[in-house]
């Protein structure tokens, strides 16, 4: 044995000396490590075929010594930016080959080489979140001692082999988030030691074992603890044989095409902790036998957003755009969530939104001492929330929005300790209580056990809380590290004054932001009532970023203290009978982006201090009694996109400085007493933005808006001058005609001449030509449409007349045969681009929560909104081009039967 002194070489030099494949004959050793037997030599094994970029190659540095162990070599961990090759020095006993996952964005490129299989003692092959492409070599499937094969988050393609002879000792097979297609190999049943099987995020099709895939895998899965097949195209049913996987702790099957009912045999998985079967096509009742899973912590039966992570954010290259997966939730169950399940003391999370659940709200929550997250939003639950629900002291996330719940909200609920409390869109009555709480009960850490033990339920809870905040449509501040606490009481029948902000002081961290929403109720009294009582605790007011009290019955004047809410991003007090002036202190809200005081009885002038709100994007002060001039300081708001000041008593000229605010896209000052020239801004110079101002002159260039004059006629209200708008220039004396007027007179003369010629020709032909063979006794009125919304092309006319079919001929006149035709314009979606049709429009409205726009006003006003939205959603699903995702008629009928009107 010869010991050699350390010599460092750049990787470029080292590869050149070795010629990448030859025997490295230079003296190489690691500092502090024993040298190799030079007589054995150092064999350079090509593990991958790489796309070398010499600009990306780093020099070997001192960190390499902590990543390679050459003395008694048992494992090899790839280092630095790229792992191009490993030096095993005639050491076939290498047991582990893995890449340090802390390498940031450093990735390995190329294909796996079959030479890896020559490492006969290799037990661990772990190279996740790189950019390996191509198929997995067949030789790897024949390795006898491999226990871990982890290639998650790469670009592996091809199908898995239907049969393979090796991997008998395999314990972990993780090929998630690649491009693998085809079915699952039946030979997996021979891997009797398999504990983790993850094929998520691929393009697998066929049925889960128990259908077209052999059931043998279910016969030998007693040691399996984690099964994840989510994000594929698996069809059929969940096989009953899955109950033989008695040691299963995690079952993830979400985002597939599975259907029928959940098998009751799932209840035999006594060690199951996490089950997610959302975003499939399941129906029928939820089996109460699931309650036999006495260790169950997380139960996800439906989900309104796709839980698949963006692998690229984890360091991989397979982004969500590459996953062509079902894009919506099609699990629609019958009945309610069984009481047997809600009584499980081990439950930490129940997640079943938008799943057609109905009936009375479950009342068996006596054993919910560990429950932390409950989401039953967008269902059809009715009745009251039982008092026993107040026993859920650890509850941190409660979403019961968009149901039909009623009654009063108990003050025993632990709302001040909740991160999310959302009961909006129900029928709750009474007042918002002053919730009583002594202290917030401690909950299990969502960031894992301090001892390092992996806890799948905590991981799921943490991820769902994180994603729920991302999916929120609320306009949060720009700090991505902020943690949102949301209390939403909106769209109910709550009355009485506002209570103090229902948030416990211990819930307010340094990066906590708070949203209080109570719009669309019957709340009354002065604003803000007792809401800001806790502002003596400075951090409470500093955390408040969203405050919505719109469409209530608040009266009185706005207090100057509202300017102390310096962290507000949104303030909506619209549609209340508030009076008095706008407080000057609003100019202290430096972070505010949306401010709406519309639909009140505010008077006085617009305070110039609003021109200091440099972050403001939306300002709506419409439908008040504001007077005075529009302050020129509003032109300082360079982020302003919406400025709405209509239906006030404003006077004077529009500030010319507003023409320099190019960001404004929505502008309305209609029905005021403004005068003078308009701002020189094409986004603002639309005639329908200035209606009802008799001394404002709309420029000719903006008359291209087809609805300008029409809106002016319809929009006139009592008290608005009805005389046509005029300017001093128009009322002036003699002046020369400009080019526009000359063109107009010329065009009118030409049109009149043509009309006169047609009249003469008409009477001439009536005198000398025979009458039409088709006559009628009734007088016919002929209306000519010049613009019907559809281009009158030859192709359209031929199609509408049935290729000039004789059955559509209604007569012959002096100009030949006349045909009837019906050309109905389709909804115009040209502004959205080619290919955008009524189906795409409906999808867009559903995604944006604007389904109301799809229905006629009368239907939306009288019909149950939830049912109308579900019918529209059903119609969209039924037009899907893919037969694999389109619902069957059986499913359609089942869902229509579930759409029952609310009881009277």
């Amino acid at each position: 044995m010869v010991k050699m002194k350390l010599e460092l070489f750049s990787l470029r030099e080292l590869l050149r000396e070795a010629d990448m494949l030859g025997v490295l004959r230079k003296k190489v050793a690691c500092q502090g490590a024993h040298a190799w037997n030079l007589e054995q030599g150092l064999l350079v094994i090509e593990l991958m075929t790489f796309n070398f970029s010499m600009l990306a190659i780093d020099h070997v540095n001192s960190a390499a010594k902590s990543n390679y162990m050459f003395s008694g070599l048992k494992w090899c961990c790839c280092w630095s930016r790229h792992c191009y090759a490993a030096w095993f020095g005639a050491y076939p006993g290498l047991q582990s080959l893995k890449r340090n996952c802390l390498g940031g964005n450093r990735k390995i490129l190329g294909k796996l080489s079959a030479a890896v299989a020559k490492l006969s003692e290799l037990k661990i092959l772990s190279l996740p979140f790189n950019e390996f492409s191509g198929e997995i070599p067949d030789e790897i499937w024949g390795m006898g001692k491999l226990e871990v094969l982890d290639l998650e988050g790469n670009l592996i393609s091809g199908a898995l082999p239907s049969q393979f002879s090796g991997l008998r000792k395999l314990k972990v097979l993780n090929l998630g988030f690649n491009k693998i297609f085809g079915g699952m190999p039946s030979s997996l049943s021979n891997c009797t030691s398999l504990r983790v099987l993850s094929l998520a995020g691929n393009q697998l099709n066929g049925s889960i074992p128990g259908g077209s895939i052999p059931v043998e895998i279910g016969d030998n899965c007693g040691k399996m603890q984690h099964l994840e097949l989510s994000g594929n195209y698996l069809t059929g049913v969940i096989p009953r044989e899955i109950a033989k996987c008695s040691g299963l702790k995690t079952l993830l099957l979400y985002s597939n095409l599975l259907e029928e009912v959940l098998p009751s045999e799932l209840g035999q998985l006594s060690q199951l902790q996490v089950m997610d079967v959302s975003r499939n096509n399941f129906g029928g009742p939820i089996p109460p036998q699931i309650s036999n899973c006495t260790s169950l912590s997380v139960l996800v039966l439906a989900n309104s957003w796709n839980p698949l992570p963006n692998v690229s954010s984890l360091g991989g290259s397979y982004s969500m755009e590459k996953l062509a997966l079902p894009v919506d939730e099609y699990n629609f169950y019958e009945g309610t969530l069984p009481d047997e399940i809600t009584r499980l003391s081990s439950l930490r999370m129940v997640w079943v939104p938008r799943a057609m659940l109905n009936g009375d709200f479950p009342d068996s929550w006596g054993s919910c001492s560990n429950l932390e997250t409950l989401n039953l939003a967008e269902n059809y639950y009715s009745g009251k929330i039982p008092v026993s629900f107040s026993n859920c002291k650890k509850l941190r996330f409660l979403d019961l929005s968009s149901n039909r719940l009623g009654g009063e909200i108990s003050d025993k609920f632990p709302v001040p300790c909740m991160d999310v409390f959302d009961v909006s869109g129900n029928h709750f009555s009474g007042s918002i209580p002053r919730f009583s709480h002594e202290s917030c009960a401690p909950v299990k850490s969502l960031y894992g056990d301090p001892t390092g033990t992996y806890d799948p339920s905590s991981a799921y809870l943490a991820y769902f809380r994180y994603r729920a905040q991302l999916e929120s449509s609320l306009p949060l501040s720009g700090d991505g590290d902020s943690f949102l606490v949301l209390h939403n009481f909106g769209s109910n029948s709550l009355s009485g004054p506002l209570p103090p902000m229902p948030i416990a002081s211990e819930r307010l961290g340094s990066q906590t932001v708070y949203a209080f929403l109570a719009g669309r109720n019957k709340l009354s009294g002065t604003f803000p009532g007792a809401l800001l009582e806790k502002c003596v605790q400075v951090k409470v007011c500093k955390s408040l970023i969203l405050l919505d009290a719109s469409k209530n019955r608040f009266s009185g004047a706005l207090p100057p203290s509202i300017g102390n809410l310096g962290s507000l991003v949104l303030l909506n007090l619209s549609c209340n009978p508030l009076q008095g002036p706008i407080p000057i202190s609003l100019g202290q809200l430096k972070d505010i982006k949306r401010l709406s005081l519309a639909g009140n009885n505010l008077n006085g002038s617009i305070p110039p201090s609003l021109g200091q709100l440099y972050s403001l994007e939306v300002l709506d002060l419409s439908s008040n009694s504001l007077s005075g001039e529009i302050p020129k300081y509003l032109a300082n708001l360079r982020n302003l996109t919406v400025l709405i000041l209509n239906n006030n008593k404003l006077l004077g000229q529009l500030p010319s400085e507003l023409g320099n605010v190019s960001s404004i896209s929505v502008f309305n000052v209609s029905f005021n007493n403004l005068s003078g020239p308009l701002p020189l801004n094409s986004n603002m110079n639309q005639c329908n933005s200035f209606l009802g101002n008799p001394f404002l002159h709309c420029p000719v260039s903006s008359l291209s808006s087809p609805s300008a004059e029409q809106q002016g006629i319809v929009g006139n209200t009592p008290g608005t001058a009805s005389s046509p708008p005029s300017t001093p220039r128009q009322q002036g004396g003699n002046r020369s005609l400009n080019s526009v007027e000359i063109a107009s007179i010329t065009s009118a003369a030409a049109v009149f001449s043509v009309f006169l010629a047609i009249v003469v020709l008409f009477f001439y032909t009536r005198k000398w030509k025979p009458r039409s063979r088709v006559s009628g006794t009734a007088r016919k009125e002929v209306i000519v449409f010049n613009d019907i919304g559809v281009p009158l092309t030859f192709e359209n006319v031929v199609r509408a007349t049935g290729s000039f079919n004789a059955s559509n001929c209604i007569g012959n006149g002096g100009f030949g045969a006349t045909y009837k035709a019906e050309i109905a314009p389709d909804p115009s979606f040209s502004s959205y681009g080619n290919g955008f049709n009524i189906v795409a429009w409906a999808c867009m409205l559903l995604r944006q929560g604007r389904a109301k726009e799809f229905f006629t006003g009368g239907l939306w006003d009288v019909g149950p909104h939830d049912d109308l939205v579900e019918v529209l959603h059903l119609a969209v699903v039924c037009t899907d081009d893919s037969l694999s995702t389109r619902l069957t008629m059986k499913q359609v009928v089942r869902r229509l039967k579930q759409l029952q009107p609310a009881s009277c």
Side-chain angles (χ1 to χ4, degrees):
M1 183 75 70
V2 181
K3 296 186 178 180
M4 307 302 299
K5 184 179 177 181
L6 174 68
E7 295 181 21
L8 298 180
F9 300 90
S10 70
L11 184 57
R12 181 187 304 183
E13 179 184 356
L14 202 153
L15 291 175
R16 183 178 66 246
E17 293 290 338
D19 198 22
M20 295 176 54
L21 292 174
V23 177
L24 181 63
R25 301 190 182 277
K26 289 190 73 74
K27 298 173 291 185
V28 179
C30 282
Q31 188 173 8
H34 294 290
W36 290 63
N37 189 333
L38 293 180
E39 295 180 358
Q40 292 181 343
L42 295 177
L43 179 64
V44 178
I45 302 177
E46 182 194 21
L47 291 180
M48 316 97 181
T49 302
F50 293 103
N51 228 345
F52 285 103
S53 172
M54 302 313 295
L55 295 177
I57 296 178
D58 292 338
H59 290 281
V60 178
N61 52 46
S62 59
K65 66 182 181 183
S66 62
N67 291 324
Y68 284 97
M69 295 176 60
F70 291 91
S71 179
L73 191 61
K74 295 294 182 182
W75 57 272
C76 175
C77 184
C78 298
W79 55 273
S80 191
R81 181 173 309 214
H82 298 276
C83 177
Y84 294 99
W87 294 266
F88 306 109
Y91 198 94
L94 184 70
Q95 296 181 5
S96 177
L97 174 62
K98 54 187 178 182
R99 174 178 182 262
N100 189 348
C101 291
L102 301 179
N105 294 323
R106 301 168 179 176
K107 300 175 184 179
I108 307 173
L109 310 175
K111 299 180 180 181
L112 280 175
S113 171
V116 175
K118 296 179 181 180
L119 303 172
S120 57
E121 300 296 320
L122 193 65
K123 293 182 178 180
I124 299 175
L125 177 56
S126 179
L127 298 167
F129 303 112
N130 286 287
E131 294 188 1
F132 288 110
S133 59
E135 298 187 13
I136 300 175
D138 293 338
E139 290 81 358
I140 291 181
W141 295 99
M143 298 181 69
K145 296 186 178 181
L146 196 64
E147 296 179 2
V148 175
L149 177 57
D150 184 1
L151 298 174
E152 179 182 5
N154 282 280
L155 301 172
I156 303 297
S157 59
L160 300 179
S162 57
Q163 298 287 334
F164 56 85
S165 58
L167 304 183
R168 293 295 187 265
K169 295 185 178 181
L170 196 65
K171 296 179 180 179
V172 175
L173 177 59
N174 184 3
L175 302 178
F177 301 99
N178 281 283
K179 296 181 177 181
I180 300 171
F181 55 84
M184 295 171 55
S186 59
S187 295
L188 284 175
S189 60
N190 298 325
C191 303
T192 57
S193 299
L194 199 60
R195 289 173 171 80
V196 175
L197 174 59
S198 176
L199 300 174
N202 283 286
Q203 302 170 23
L204 299 177
N205 52 43
S207 301
I208 292 180
S212 59
I213 303 292
V215 300
E216 288 80 5
I217 191 172
D219 296 334
N220 297 312
C221 64
K223 294 183 179 180
M224 189 176 295
Q225 299 178 4
H226 177 85
L227 177 60
E228 182 173 8
L229 304 176
S230 50
N232 284 287
Y233 296 99
L234 300 173
T235 60
V237 301
I238 298 179
R240 302 180 186 276
E241 289 79 5
I242 203 169
K244 298 178 181 180
C245 304
S246 56
L248 205 59
K249 295 182 179 180
T250 305
L251 177 61
L252 306 180
L253 304 176
Y254 59 84
S255 295
N256 276 288
L257 302 173
L258 303 172
E259 56 185 1
E260 298 302 330
V261 298
L262 297 176
S264 59
E265 286 77 6
L266 290 173
Q268 299 179 25
L269 301 174
S270 58
Q271 299 186 44
L272 193 64
Q273 298 178 15
V274 178
M275 181 170 75
D276 189 345
V277 294
S278 60
R279 302 179 77 81
N280 282 283
N281 291 319
F282 292 121
I286 299 173
Q289 291 84 354
I290 292 178
S291 62
N292 295 328
C293 303
T294 55
S295 299
L296 191 62
S297 296
V298 174
L299 178 62
V300 182
L301 301 178
N303 202 349
S304 54
W305 42 263
N306 197 333
L308 281 170
N310 188 337
V311 182
S312 61
S313 66
L314 305 177
S317 57
Y318 208 147
S319 63
M320 284 299 300
E321 288 74 11
K322 299 178 183 178
L323 298 175
L325 300 170
V327 295
D328 215 336
E329 172 64 75
Y330 303 135
N331 286 353
F332 294 96
Y333 302 101
E334 297 176 3
T336 183
L337 191 66
D339 289 342
E340 294 89 340
I341 294 178
T342 62
R343 283 196 290 261
L344 276 174
S345 60
S346 59
L347 279 178
R348 296 180 63 191
M349 182 172 86
V350 177
W351 198 277
V352 202
R354 197 181 179 186
M356 303 290 284
L357 299 177
N358 56 68
D360 289 337
F361 189 79
D363 58 359
S364 299
W365 298 95
S367 301
C368 66
S369 56
N370 290 313
L371 189 63
E372 301 176 33
T373 299
L374 177 62
N375 187 353
L376 297 176
E378 298 184 71
N379 282 291
Y380 296 92
Y381 276 123
S382 56
K384 301 179 180 180
I385 302 178
V387 179
S388 60
F389 200 70
S390 60
N391 295 329
C392 309
K393 299 296 184 182
K394 294 183 179 180
L395 198 59
R396 294 293 181 267
F397 185 107
L398 176 63
D399 191 351
L400 303 178
S401 60
S402 301
N403 278 278
R404 298 168 178 174
L405 300 170
E408 297 187 359
I409 301 174
S410 172
D411 62 351
K412 304 297 183 183
F413 295 160
V415 174
C417 298
M418 293 187 188
D419 301 331
V420 173
F421 177 78
D422 192 346
V423 293
S424 61
N426 282 282
H427 306 299
F428 289 108
S429 58
S431 61
I432 300 177
R434 290 175 175 250
F435 297 99
S436 59
H437 84 287
E438 298 177 358
S439 62
C440 298
V443 297
K444 193 173 182 180
S445 173
L446 297 183
Y447 301 100
D449 194 314
T451 63
T453 305
Y454 174 70
D455 181 8
S457 60
S458 292
Y460 232 71
L461 277 164
Y463 180 65
F464 267 61
R465 299 266 192 92
Y466 166 75
R467 281 295 302 272
Q469 179 161 295
L470 287 183
E471 297 294 328
S472 172
S473 59
L474 300 177
L476 302 179
S477 60
D479 187 358
D481 295 329
S482 298
F483 182 78
L484 173 67
V485 175
L486 168 67
H487 293 159
N488 191 352
F489 300 87
S491 300
N492 282 284
S493 298
L494 299 169
S495 58
L498 283 173
M501 283 190 290
I503 181 171
S505 58
E506 56 261 46
R507 301 301 300 152
L508 295 172
S510 58
Q511 294 182 323
T512 301
V513 293
Y514 180 51
F516 179 83
L517 310 179
R520 295 177 180 267
N521 277 289
K522 301 177 181 178
L523 301 171
S524 58
T526 59
F527 182 87
L531 185 69
L532 305 182
E533 270 185 12
K534 292 186 177 181
C535 278
V536 293
Q537 306 172 16
V538 179
K539 61 182 180 180
V540 175
C541 284
K542 283 189 175 181
S543 298
L544 184 64
I545 63 166
L546 270 70
L547 177 56
D548 182 3
S550 62
K551 298 187 178 179
N552 280 286
R553 300 174 181 176
F554 295 114
S555 59
L558 290 174
S561 60
I562 198 171
N564 297 331
L565 304 176
S567 297
L568 275 180
V569 176
L570 180 149
L571 176 61
N572 188 356
L573 301 177
S574 61
C575 300
N576 283 286
L578 294 170
Q579 302 171 347
I582 298 176
I584 299 176
S585 60
L586 284 180
Q588 302 173 21
L589 307 180
K590 303 300 183 182
D591 294 329
I592 197 163
K593 295 183 178 180
R594 302 185 186 184
L595 174 61
S596 178
L597 302 176
N600 285 282
N601 295 321
L602 300 175
N603 53 38
S605 61
I606 299 175
S609 61
L610 296 186
Q612 303 173 13
L613 305 178
Y614 302 118
S615 298
L616 196 63
E617 299 174 0
V618 177
L619 177 60
D620 188 355
L621 304 178
S622 61
S623 301
N624 281 285
S625 298
L626 299 174
S627 58
E629 296 185 349
I630 299 175
K632 63 180 180 180
Y633 302 103
L634 295 182
N636 297 332
L637 309 180
R638 298 300 180 181
N639 294 314
L640 196 64
T641 59
V642 176
L643 178 59
I644 304 178
L645 304 173
N646 59 282
N647 292 87
N648 279 286
K649 300 178 181 179
L650 301 171
L651 48 81
Q653 296 187 0
L654 283 169
S656 59
E657 293 83 355
L658 286 177
N660 299 325
V661 186
S662 58
S663 59
I664 294 180
S665 58
V666 177
F667 178 75
N668 196 338
V669 292
S670 298
F671 303 107
N672 284 284
N673 295 312
L674 300 172
S675 59
L678 301 181
L680 298 178
N681 188 323
S682 59
N683 293 333
M684 299 168 61
N685 288 348
Q686 300 295 326
C687 285
N688 55 0
S689 299
F690 306 99
L691 302 175
N693 290 281
F695 300 107
L696 276 180
H697 172 56
C698 184
V700 175
S701 59
S702 66
L703 290 176
S704 58
S705 174
S707 60
E709 289 91 357
Q710 182 180 1
Q711 293 183 8
I713 296 173
V714 176
N716 283 335
T717 57
T720 302
S722 58
S723 60
S726 61
T727 65
R729 180 178 179 181
Q730 288 175 310
Q731 296 171 352
N734 296 333
R735 58 182 178 85
S736 60
L737 298 177
N738 58 33
S739 58
V740 175
E741 292 170 331
I742 294 175
S744 301
I745 294 173
T746 304
S747 300
V751 170
F752 179 78
S753 301
V754 173
F755 174 76
L756 185 62
I758 293 176
V759 171
V760 173
L761 182 62
F762 171 75
F763 283 104
Y764 180 81
T765 55
R766 291 278 295 176
K767 180 177 179 180
W768 293 102
K769 297 293 180 181
R771 293 182 177 272
S772 169
R773 291 192 295 268
V774 179
S775 62
T777 58
R779 180 180 178 181
K780 303 289 184 181
E781 183 177 3
V782 177
I783 302 176
V784 178
F785 297 93
N786 293 324
D787 185 3
I788 64 172
V790 176
L792 289 176
T793 63
F794 179 76
E795 291 78 9
N796 286 344
V797 173
V798 170
R799 189 183 305 110
T801 58
S803 299
F804 298 103
N805 191 286
S807 61
N808 292 322
C809 182
I810 59 176
N812 288 290
F815 293 97
T818 304
Y819 293 83
K820 65 178 180 180
E822 181 177 350
I823 302 179
D826 294 326
S828 177
F829 305 106
S830 58
S831 60
Y832 298 100
N834 294 332
F836 197 92
N837 53 27
I838 191 170
V839 177
W841 183 51
C843 291
M844 182 190 73
L845 294 179
L846 285 171
R847 285 195 306 268
Q848 298 179 355
R850 297 163 49 201
K852 175 181 178 180
E853 301 176 22
F854 191 89
F855 300 94
T856 60
L859 178 60
W860 183 261
D861 293 338
V862 300
H865 295 174
D866 293 338
D867 290 349
L868 291 175
V869 172
E870 284 301 328
V871 170
L872 179 58
H873 179 264
L874 179 62
V876 169
V877 175
C878 290
T879 58
D880 198 293
D881 292 334
S882 174
L883 292 175
S884 60
T885 57
R886 189 187 308 163
L887 295 182
T888 64
M889 287 306 300
K890 179 181 178 181
Q891 292 171 318
V892 172
V893 171
R894 185 183 68 205
R895 289 174 63 179
L896 287 176
K897 287 181 178 179
Q898 292 172 336
L899 288 175
Q900 299 178 359
S903 57
C904 299

